[in-house]
Amino acid sequence: MTDPAIQTASEVTPDDFRTMMSGFPTGVCVVATDDYEGQPRGMTCSSVCSVSLDPPILLVCLRDGSPTLESIMKSGMFTVNLLDEGAQEVAELFASGNPDRFLMVPWERAPGAAGPHLIRDAHTVADCDVVLTQRMGDHVTVFGETRRITRRHAQHPLLYGLRQFRSWSRV
């Protein structure tokens, strides 16, 4: 006898997969860089993972065809801005595609930075150099060697799961 609460799909659709992954809460960041004209580019990303401690490598998975990914591929570097619990609006803004997003948030380009640092909304920023890319389906995995870490304030990460934002302190 089969439990009626168990659902099995014989063919997994993108919506099935998205729903499954929404049950795996994760941190939220803005991946950013500069384009070939020196203009900032960035997008919200929850697909971030540490890969290696020595050397310090992380990966981000970005939508193929995004202007941010294109700029990272050309510049060979990027920042990972780990968002603070109060930065839900920033996460939504950078997911929206609004071309004026960098006009709407405070940021800086510190000397030697790999891209824009969100000075109010990121509790920590990693500056990374691209060491490898791998295309898979509709995304590209970008591996970055972390060359500098900037901690701005206490870590109270913004989380995303079940299609909702939460703060670490409210979990």
Side-chain angles (χ1 to χ4, degrees), residues 92-137:
E92 292 168 341
L93 173 65
F94 278 82
S96 74
N98 183 329
D100 297 325
R101 63 190 103 183
F102 279 99
L103 298 174
M104 302 169 75
V105 298
W107 63 277
E108 70 179 14
R109 187 178 293 109
H117 287 209
L118 302 182
I119 57 176
R120 178 194 66 204
D121 301 298
H123 62 77
T124 306
V125 181
D127 289 290
C128 303
D129 293 321
V130 175
V131 293
L132 178 70
T133 61
Q134 176 66 52
R135 184 175 317 279
M136 185 63 63

Side-chain angles (χ1 to χ4, degrees), residues 75 113 162:
S75 72
L162 299 174

